[in-house]
Amino acid sequence: MLDDPIKLFLCGPMSDYLDFNRPAFNAAAAELRHRGYKVFNPAENSVSDDGEWESWMRQSIQLVALADVLVLLPGWMMSPGAQVEFRLAFNLGIEAMTIDEVLSGRCRAVAHAQPSP
């Protein structure tokens, strides 16, 4: 385990997917946690499945802002919500990496969301 684990936010498509794509999100979260990362998984948020898209996004946006790295899951480019999360991360200076890049060890053990002096 890392002493001060990097905080990752999982970013990918959920709407219009069977079970909101939870199997993909949960599998990624499990593997990343096993590797010692702290993972923010929007599939685990507290909004009910019949909640409004905006409610899901309000929770996700709060978690994106806490992340060191945005982890892009397959299909993220086709998701309006993931696009919002990606743009927010970019504007906050949060690094974005694909899940494959993180799993291959290219995620450095440093925080990437440091504020400017």
Side-chain angles (χ1 to χ4, degrees):
M1 289 288 259
L2 301 169
D3 290 338
D4 189 17
I6 297 171
K7 297 181 292 295
L8 307 177
F9 179 88
L10 298 180
C11 175
M14 295 183 83
S15 298
D16 300 325
Y17 277 70
L18 182 63
D19 194 25
F20 293 97
N21 207 17
R22 282 187 181 102
F25 277 83
N26 292 337
E31 179 60 29
L32 293 167
R33 287 174 179 144
H34 175 74
R35 294 175 184 227
Y37 297 105
K38 178 173 178 63
V39 179
F40 300 126
N41 179 0
E44 298 170 344
N45 78 20
S46 62
V47 177
S48 70
D49 287 350
D50 60 352
E52 295 290 325
W53 181 84
E54 292 81 0
S55 297
W56 284 85
M57 290 307 301
R58 286 176 189 272
Q59 277 197 7
S60 291
I61 287 168
Q62 291 174 19
L63 295 174
V64 169
L66 297 174
D68 299 315
V69 178
L70 191 77
V71 179
L72 305 169
L73 300 179
W76 74 272
M77 291 182 72
M78 301 304 293
S79 166
Q83 289 291 318
V84 169
E85 294 161 353
F86 180 83
R87 284 192 302 274
L88 175 61
F90 178 81
N91 287 321
L92 294 176
I94 297 169
E95 183 175 10
M97 303 178 80
T98 66
I99 184 71
D100 291 336
E101 289 174 321
V102 176
L103 293 176
S104 70
R106 293 185 219 162
C107 188
R108 297 181 300 274
V110 296
H112 300 284
Q114 297 295 322
S116 301

